[in-house]
Amino acid sequence: MTLSLKLRPRRNRKSHTVREMLAETTLSIDQMVLPVFLTSGTKKKEPLGTLPGIHRYSVDVLIQEMDRWVKLGICSFALFPQIPDDLKDPTGSESLNRSGLFPNAIFEIKKKFPQVVLFTDIALDPYSSDGHDGIVKNGQILNDETVEVLAQMAIVQAQAGADYVAPSDMMDGRIGAIRNSLDKAKYTNTGIMAYSAKYASSFYGPFRDALGSAPKSGDKKTYQMDYRNRREALREVKLDIQQGADIVMVKPALAYLDIIREVKNSVSVPVAAYNVSGEYAMIKFAGKSGALDPEKAMIEVLTSIKRSGADLIFTYFAEEFALIS
Ligand code: PBG
């Protein structure tokens, strides 16, 4: 029997070529940023137990890897340092050391690969003996005192060659303070990629393992956002744009696709999404157990993030994606 149907959506799915022709979303390595973990010393490439396939590198080895990544078409990176415990203190003072691990790595990378775009992390957690993104006093995370340090950190990183400083701390007013401090020091071309709607999430576990940066006590709920909230994300994003953010981010990505879409529909700056460590680990471990095809799941997940409105995706999958695309 033949139904008398005028409209048959399946006609637009009838062959591979038709599907390729009509696909609404495409992925490109140009819009992916690979997060990279740095450690001190030399000749180090340390595998990370909770992030299969991802390593922590000393700068010398990182430079060699980057050569390979750049040849694969990966053109931007987000850098995060693992700071030795004996350099951590309550104010995160190592973050302002101009000859420390982080500024030195930024400088070396930009010297070797001037064309790559470097997003450099601004927050105190890698440097703080309390493992918080800000300065802790009597169990409270101090806002304004922390912002003062972050604004100085921005100068250290800009001077080393950062393309975008990327505050991931969620203190109030930090974008304005960082913009002022960069402009005053004449770093008017250094951008700010703001982690604007960053939620207090259980999906950051593997990242904290990689840097040894988990909070020593308490959680991050007084500064990172409550995942029950959507309107609040728009408020955060708007404040950051008013204060000078060049790119705004929603983080994590997967459990927050509605937020990415909402932000995308309400702003005119580029929107980034961070496909975080726990989201990567979920697929990797499910793949190892045989529960799903990890490569197909990767493409599906990255496509969903793009489809939700992300212009830029920070993802540990960038290398794997580049290898198969
Ligand atoms: C901390 C920071 C975190 C991540 C990026 N910057 C962890 C946290 O807020 O505790 C997480 C990234 C990831 O999980 O991949 N400033």
Side-chain angles (χ1 to χ4, degrees), residues 122-177:
I122 293 200
L124 290 186
D125 52 317
Y127 312 90
S128 149
S129 45
D130 296 301
H132 274 288
D133 293 28
I135 299 169
V136 186
K137 197 167 174 193
N138 302 327
Q140 307 278 317
I141 316 302
L142 303 180
N143 192 86
D144 301 13
E145 291 80 351
T146 299
V147 169
E148 217 177 296
V149 180
L150 301 179
Q152 293 174 50
M153 247 173 117
I155 302 290
V156 173
Q157 299 180 4
Q159 187 177 47
D163 294 282
Y164 288 88
V165 293
S168 66
D169 56 288
M170 291 298 281
M171 298 300 122
D172 292 332
R174 89 274 207 220
I175 302 302

Side-chain angles (χ1 to χ4, degrees), residues 256-314:
Y256 300 85
L257 295 178
D258 57 326
I259 310 294
I260 299 173
R261 170 48 59 190
E262 191 101 29
V263 167
K264 175 64 167 215
N265 287 347
S266 65
V267 305
S268 51
V269 296
V271 177
Y274 200 140
N275 178 211
V276 299
S277 58
E279 299 174 333
Y280 170 89
M282 262 194 319
I283 291 180
K284 284 293 178 180
F285 287 113
K288 278 182 195 290
S289 75
L292 48 71
D293 178 332
E295 196 174 296
K296 287 190 175 139
M298 162 183 83
I299 299 289
E300 186 174 338
V301 157
L302 292 174
T303 305
S304 76
I305 298 170
K306 191 81 189 293
R307 189 192 64 228
S308 75
D311 297 291
L312 204 57
I313 307 176
F314 284 56

